[in-house]
Amino acid sequence: MEALYATVTGVLTACGIYLTLRGRTFPVVVGLTLLSYAVNLFLFSMGGLASKSTTIVDSSFPYADPLPQALVLTAIVIGFAMTAFVVILAMRTRGDLGSDSVDGQRTDEPREERK
C-alpha cells in the first residue's frame, strides 16, 4: 500500500511539474491542480496508512489520526477555490490580451530575437 501511494504521488508530482512548465494557461492550471493532489496524498499518508483503524469513538482498536484528514479536507477546499480563481483570471487574461500564452505574447506576433 505504501509503495502504491509513493508511486501515485511521484507520478502526480512529475505530471504536475511537466504541465506547469508548459507555455499555455490551461496546462499550467491543470499542472497546479495535479501538484495540489500530490500534496494532498502526501499529507494523508503522513497520518499512517492503516487499514483496520477506526474512529476515536471505539477504543478497542487503534484509531486513525484525524489531523491529516482535517488538513487534507481543508487543502481540498482551498485548492478548489484557488483553481476557480485562476481559471477566471486566465479567462480574463485571454479576453484582454487575445492569447492564452503564459508570457503574454500574441500568437500572431513574431517573437523578438535576443541579442
Side-chain angles (χ1 to χ4, degrees):
M1 183 87 156
E2 288 87 5
L4 177 66
Y5 257 71
T7 303
V8 170
T9 304
V11 167
L12 283 174
T13 303
C15 291
I17 289 173
Y18 175 75
L19 288 173
T20 303
L21 296 175
R22 304 296 294 170
R24 299 284 181 192
T25 305
F26 183 71
V28 171
V29 172
V30 172
L32 290 174
T33 304
L34 288 178
L35 281 174
S36 71
Y37 291 160
V39 169
N40 288 343
L41 277 178
F42 178 73
L43 285 175
F44 193 70
S45 67
M46 288 297 101
L49 302 173
S51 61
K52 296 186 180 181
S53 296
T54 61
T55 58
I56 299 176
V57 177
D58 188 14
S59 62
S60 62
F61 293 107
Y63 61 89
D65 189 13
L67 182 63
Q69 297 172 12
L71 286 174
V72 167
L73 183 61
T74 305
I76 289 170
V77 171
I78 292 171
F80 180 74
M82 288 304 296
T83 302
F85 175 72
V86 169
V87 166
I88 295 299
L89 188 65
M91 289 172 58
R92 171 79 188 263
T93 304
R94 168 83 169 129
D96 288 348
L97 296 177
S99 172
D100 66 342
S101 181
V102 175
D103 60 359
Q105 298 269 337
R106 291 186 183 203
T107 54
D108 56 353
E109 292 178 357
R111 293 183 180 227
E112 295 180 15
E113 296 289 327
R114 291 186 180 175
K115 296 181 182 181

